[in-house]
Amino acid sequence: MATLLPDPDKTDRILITLAAEAYKHARQHLLAARAVLDVSVWPVAFSNAALALEEAGKGILCNSILVWPDEQRQAVQDAFRAAMNSHEAKAFCAFFVLRVVGDEVPESVEKLLKQSLRDARRTNKNKMRGFYTDSNSTGQILKPSDITEEQARQMVRVVEAVIAFSTEAEEAMEDPDAYLVMLRRVRGKESYASTWEYMGDDPSSEESEKVIAAMRALARDDAPLEEAARGTVLETFIDQMMADFEGPVALESKATVIAGELAVPPPAAAPDEQVTTPRPEEVNVIEIT
């Protein structure tokens, strides 16, 4: 059972290791899903892809909470443990990221959250359908063969997109010591801690909406770092980080380094993969009745 220890340094190490192993295991499940897909066993391909999505979501969850202030992390200890043990919560993290960086994003954070939760629930339901034969309270037989080729292939595409997006974060954690140096530098900024207070607990607040829009612009490489942060609670923090770099370093180079420290990976495919991020409406085909 994943636990956030009182010692923040130990917790950082645990989260980095958990995230790295989760991403690695996600790739193994994806490999299995592709192999089964090649022999046309749709339900098993779907379910293995769903497991890959959950492991990728676990990596995203660990990587995300790494940047939280220590006090904030301890305050959500129970919620973190529950999320790590929830199939739907881990899939939700993956779908949330996929929708944020996708070509079409819901017009509000509230809708973004609802749609990501809907898709996570559908995926878990269909994963169980793909793995097991069963019957419901009305006597209907629930068969793995209910999963179609279209659904299996769609689930594999979804996982490929999520893993491709996570590639740079995954690679950054291959050197935990260097990652921790950057992480502590970021978390040590007073302006960084203040962003949590401004955003508050309401994900649909105006400030939260602005921050998510800024992170989306960065992840999609739609805008330079300073431009994306302008007008948000991140602006002061970015200015302070930029001022940290002394000497004849070009502004462009500074922004590149800071973006790396923030662990905001672009949605680029790995060198040997060409992945198209599914549109939100495409994700819905994973529902079965």
Side-chain angles (χ1 to χ4, degrees):
M1 181 180 294
T3 302
L4 301 177
L5 302 178
D7 184 333
D9 290 339
K10 288 183 178 178
T11 292
D12 286 342
R13 291 279 180 182
I14 289 171
L15 289 170
I16 287 175
T17 303
L18 278 173
E21 290 299 320
Y23 286 132
K24 186 188 303 180
H25 199 207
R27 291 182 179 279
Q28 293 172 341
H29 274 305
L30 177 58
L31 186 64
R34 285 168 169 166
V36 179
L37 197 65
D38 286 343
V39 293
S40 305
V41 185
W42 316 130
V44 180
F46 182 101
S47 297
N48 271 283
L51 291 177
L53 186 78
E54 290 176 22
E55 285 292 86
K58 184 186 294 180
I60 291 168
L61 176 61
C62 291
N63 201 42
S64 298
I65 203 169
L66 263 170
V67 301
W68 284 39
D70 297 330
E71 299 78 10
Q72 295 278 353
R73 291 198 308 204
Q74 285 301 312
V76 298
Q77 167 75 264
D78 293 341
F80 173 75
R81 186 183 298 115
M84 288 289 282
N85 289 308
S86 166
H87 301 295
E88 290 182 1
K90 288 177 285 191
F92 166 84
C93 290
F95 276 118
F96 180 83
V97 165
L98 186 62
R99 286 185 173 277
V100 166
V101 302
D103 290 336
E104 297 177 30
V105 67
E107 61 270 21
S108 69
V109 173
E110 183 180 6
K111 199 163 223 181
L112 176 66
L113 295 171
K114 284 183 178 179
Q115 291 179 352
S116 299
L117 180 59
R118 176 201 63 194
D119 292 333
R121 287 173 172 167
R122 289 174 174 174
T123 299
N124 186 56
K125 171 186 171 184
N126 296 339
K127 177 192 71 180
M128 302 304 289
R129 180 74 64 91
F131 273 143
Y132 304 108
T133 302
D134 205 348
S135 64
N136 62 19
S137 58
T138 66
Q140 178 189 3
I141 303 300
L142 307 176
K143 309 182 297 296
S145 57
D146 291 335
I147 300 292
T148 67
E149 176 182 0
E150 180 186 20
Q151 289 163 335
R153 292 191 181 281
Q154 171 58 28
M155 194 72 251
V156 168
R157 290 199 302 274
V158 167
V159 175
E160 287 173 339
V162 172
I163 289 180
F165 173 79
S166 305
T167 297
E168 288 198 10
E170 183 182 2
E171 291 174 349
M173 287 181 287
E174 290 177 359
D175 187 345
D177 293 328
Y179 191 89
L180 283 172
V181 168
M182 293 187 294
L183 182 66
R184 287 163 186 160
R185 185 177 181 183
V186 169
R187 286 204 318 235
K189 293 295 176 190
E190 183 180 342
S191 57
Y192 183 76
S194 69
T195 62
W196 298 91
E197 298 175 15
Y198 281 112
M199 290 175 67
D201 298 324
D202 182 7
S204 62
S205 69
E206 183 179 352
E207 286 299 341
S208 296
E209 296 267 4
K210 287 180 180 178
V211 169
I212 288 180
M215 299 306 286
R216 169 179 165 80
L218 282 173
R220 289 171 53 87
D221 203 23
D222 288 343
L225 182 65
E226 288 182 300
E227 182 182 325
R230 192 171 299 130
T232 75
V233 295
L234 293 173
E235 186 171 10
T236 301
F237 167 69
I238 297 301
D239 288 343
Q240 286 189 6
M241 287 295 295
M242 295 289 278
D244 269 358
F245 291 85
E246 299 177 354
V249 181
L251 187 63
E252 228 174 280
S253 301
K254 291 180 182 180
T256 301
V257 174
I258 294 172
E261 292 194 353
L262 287 171
V264 183
D272 60 338
E273 296 177 342
Q274 293 298 321
V275 178
T276 301
T277 303
R279 296 191 303 275
E281 65 270 18
E282 285 183 334
V283 177
N284 297 340
V285 305
I286 62 176
E287 182 179 28
I288 60 174
T289 56

